[in-house]
């Protein structure tokens, strides 16, 4: 017997001329790829809103970029790479910064206006209702020589008198002004004949409102009251960066109020900071122009108001806007709330003109008192309210 190793028999080898059969393919899924291949998905990109085409054809531009990348004409964007700085993107960020700056200024103005002290209950009661700062409203602006602040001598005795008496008729895009000289002779209800500025000393803003309406007549109604604080006024001017006034005559004022040690202003355009602007508006005597009286001072006060409106519109004020917005309400006491006061400032900025109007008065009765005829009153009221 021959020796044989136990184990399974070797499989028969195929003939040399016969190739091995390929392995059988795995079964296919009905209607799809093989079981071992990953499933194939078709990706669809949602289209942008149809209105986006109006903003420059964003969908079409994106399609062009995809076709360019498919042809190898444009490289694929690198993940995490910074976007290119384009003029459109720069304008977008500038617009956002401007909007934020304006919003901050608006909030500061409203907060400052809200915390300021308003006018007295008697003053509010004396005001007439009706009229808006859009359709037309008449505002009485008063500045008194109250014994407060650095520009006033606190040792002076007696009640304060109205140092500034100005009517402002404000409407959207239109502002007209009328100053009443403080030496004008009037009938003060309950107190007889006196200078008009004495009404403030005798009965405050409420009596002043009644006196002016009775004096001018012709159905004039005062709708709002603004009292200017001489103490805070310089800070408002400084927050604007100063003002530029057009001075009509040289001024060389002697000392007054035990604070002003003498003021000198050349003729022509002059730049004023807050302190000098207040002095310019309050100069009482001018030896360099002896013929001047209180009408010249009233015209200077209107010039200061015009200069403030012009400065508000200057580009430099935009960068100071939050400071201006905070300081402006602090220089005033008024019945106007935040929105109304903001509307008044907007009217002053957009419709303020360089024209000055001072009530035409003749000199003199009862010493130095100025006299105003009925015809002058009628013409002044008509021009103030109707612009005729």
């Amino acid at each position: 017997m021959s020796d044989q190793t136990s184990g399974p028999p070797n499989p028969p080898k195929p003939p040399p001329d016969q190739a091995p059969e390929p392995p059988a393919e795995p079964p296919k899924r009905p209607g799809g790829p093989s079981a071992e291949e990953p499933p194939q998905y078709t990706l669809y990109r949602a289209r942008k809103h149809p209105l986006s085409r109006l903003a420059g054809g964003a969908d079409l531009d994106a399609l062009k970029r995809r076709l360019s990348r498919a042809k190898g004409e444009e490289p694929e964007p690198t993940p995490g790479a910074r976007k290119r700085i384009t003029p459109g993107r720069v304008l977008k960020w500038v617009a956002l910064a401007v909007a934020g700056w304006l919003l901050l200024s608006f909030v500061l103005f409203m907060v400052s206006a809200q915390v300021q002290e308003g006018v007295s209950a008697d003053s509010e009661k004396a005001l007439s209702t009706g009229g808006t700062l859009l359709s037309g409203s008449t505002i009485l602006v008063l500045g008194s020589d109250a014994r407060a602040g650095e520009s006033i001598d606190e040792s002076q005795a007696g009640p304060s008198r109205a140092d500034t008496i100005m009517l402002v008729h404000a409407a959207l895009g239109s502002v007209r002004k009328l100053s009443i000289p403080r030496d004008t002779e009037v009938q003060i209800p309950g107190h007889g004949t006196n200078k008009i500025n004495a009404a403030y000393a005798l009965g405050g803003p409420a009596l002043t409102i009644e006196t002016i309406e009775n004096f001018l007549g012709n159905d004039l109604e005062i709708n709002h009251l603004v009292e200017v604080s001489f103490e805070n006024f310089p800070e408002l001017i400084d927050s604007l960066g100063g003002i530029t006034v057009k001075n009509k005559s040289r001024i060389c004022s002697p000392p007054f109020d035990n604070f002003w040690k003498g003021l000198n202003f050349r003729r022509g355009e002059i730049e004023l900071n807050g302190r000098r602007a207040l002095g310019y508006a309050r100069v009482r005597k001018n030896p360099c122009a002896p013929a001047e009286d209180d009408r010249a001072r009233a015209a200077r006060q209107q010039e200061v108001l015009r200069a403030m409106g012009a400065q508000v519109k200057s580009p430099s004020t935009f960068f100071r806007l939050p400071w201006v917005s905070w300081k402006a309400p602090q220089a005033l006491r008024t019945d106007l709330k935040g929105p109304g006061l903001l509307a008044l400032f907007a009217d002053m900025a957009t419709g303020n003109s360089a024209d000055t109007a001072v009530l035409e008065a003749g000199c003199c009765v009862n010493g130095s008192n100025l006299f105003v005829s009925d015809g002058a009153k009628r013409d002044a009221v008509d021009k103030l309210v109707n612009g005729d």
Side-chain angles (χ1 to χ4, degrees):
M1 295 180 60
S2 62
D3 294 335
Q4 293 183 352
T5 305
S6 63
N10 293 329
K13 295 182 178 180
D17 57 347
Q18 185 177 354
E21 295 183 2
E25 294 184 359
K28 295 183 178 181
R29 294 179 181 177
S34 65
E36 294 183 357
E37 294 180 358
Q40 301 295 322
Y41 297 99
T42 302
L43 299 179
Y44 296 93
R45 187 182 299 275
R47 297 183 62 185
K48 293 184 178 180
H49 195 278
L51 293 179
S52 64
R53 297 178 181 179
L54 299 178
D59 288 343
L60 182 58
D61 292 340
L63 178 59
K64 290 179 178 179
R65 288 194 297 270
R66 287 197 296 270
L67 291 176
S68 298
R69 287 195 292 267
K71 296 178 181 180
E73 298 176 359
E74 182 179 340
E76 290 283 345
T78 304
R82 289 186 177 182
K83 296 181 179 180
R84 289 186 307 165
I85 298 177
T86 63
R89 188 168 289 116
V90 171
L91 290 176
K92 174 185 175 181
W93 286 109
V94 169
L96 289 174
V98 170
W101 196 246
L102 294 176
L103 179 60
L104 173 63
S105 302
F106 173 79
V107 171
L108 289 174
F109 184 93
M110 290 300 177
V111 172
S112 182
Q114 188 66 28
V115 300
Q116 298 310 308
E117 180 183 1
V119 299
S120 66
D122 290 342
S123 299
E124 288 214 46
K125 187 177 179 180
L127 294 170
S128 300
T129 58
T132 68
L133 292 171
L134 295 178
S135 61
S137 188
T138 302
I139 303 103
L140 174 61
V141 180
L142 293 175
S144 71
D145 57 351
R147 309 299 187 242
E150 290 183 342
S151 66
I152 303 296
D153 179 13
E154 297 184 5
S155 66
Q156 296 180 11
S160 59
R161 296 192 171 207
D163 201 50
T164 300
I165 305 172
M166 185 189 305
L167 292 170
V168 176
H169 188 80
L172 184 62
S174 172
V175 173
R176 293 183 290 272
K177 304 177 289 290
L178 174 66
S179 290
I180 303 176
R182 66 175 189 166
D183 293 335
T184 303
E185 181 175 285
V186 299
Q187 285 289 329
I188 301 177
H191 298 276
T193 303
N194 207 327
K195 293 181 179 181
I196 194 171
N197 68 336
Y200 191 93
L202 295 170
L207 184 58
T208 304
I209 293 169
E210 184 181 0
T211 300
I212 292 174
E213 288 183 338
N214 292 342
F215 169 66
L216 291 178
N218 297 288
D219 299 324
L220 175 71
E221 292 185 344
I222 297 175
N223 308 113
H224 299 289
L225 171 66
V226 173
E227 293 186 75
V228 180
S229 168
F230 286 160
E231 184 176 3
N232 296 326
F233 180 78
E235 294 182 9
L236 173 58
I237 298 295
D238 289 336
S239 71
L240 287 167
I243 57 175
T244 302
V245 299
K246 299 175 182 178
N247 188 31
K248 293 184 178 180
S249 62
R250 186 183 170 217
I251 297 173
C252 50
S253 168
F256 62 96
D257 281 342
N258 285 358
F259 174 76
W260 305 105
K261 306 306 179 184
L263 292 170
N264 289 276
F265 301 100
R266 61 178 175 79
R267 184 178 179 180
E269 286 195 355
I270 51 177
E271 296 182 1
L272 302 175
N273 60 16
R275 179 178 176 277
R276 286 174 60 80
L278 179 59
Y280 177 82
R282 302 197 67 239
V283 167
R284 296 178 180 177
K285 296 180 180 180
N286 182 16
C288 289
E292 285 187 355
D293 56 23
D294 197 57
R295 289 169 288 189
R297 182 171 70 155
R300 285 195 293 269
Q301 292 169 352
Q302 289 194 20
E303 173 61 16
V304 169
L305 198 62
R306 181 210 63 80
M308 291 174 63
Q311 185 63 25
V312 167
K313 293 183 290 187
S314 70
S316 63
T317 302
F318 174 78
F319 300 99
R320 300 172 174 266
L321 201 53
W323 291 270
V324 177
S325 300
W326 182 253
K327 290 293 183 182
Q330 297 177 14
L332 310 172
R333 280 192 0 180
T334 177
D335 66 296
L336 291 167
K337 306 305 179 185
L341 190 58
L342 184 63
L344 176 60
F345 275 94
D347 289 342
M348 294 298 296
T350 58
N352 201 5
S353 68
D355 298 333
T356 59
V358 180
L359 186 62
E360 184 179 342
C363 184
C364 292
V365 295
N366 296 330
S368 61
N369 293 5
L370 300 176
F371 171 77
V372 181
S373 66
D374 291 339
K377 297 176 188 177
R378 182 180 59 252
D379 293 343
V381 172
D382 191 44
K383 185 175 181 180
L384 173 70
V385 177
N386 302 316
D388 298 334

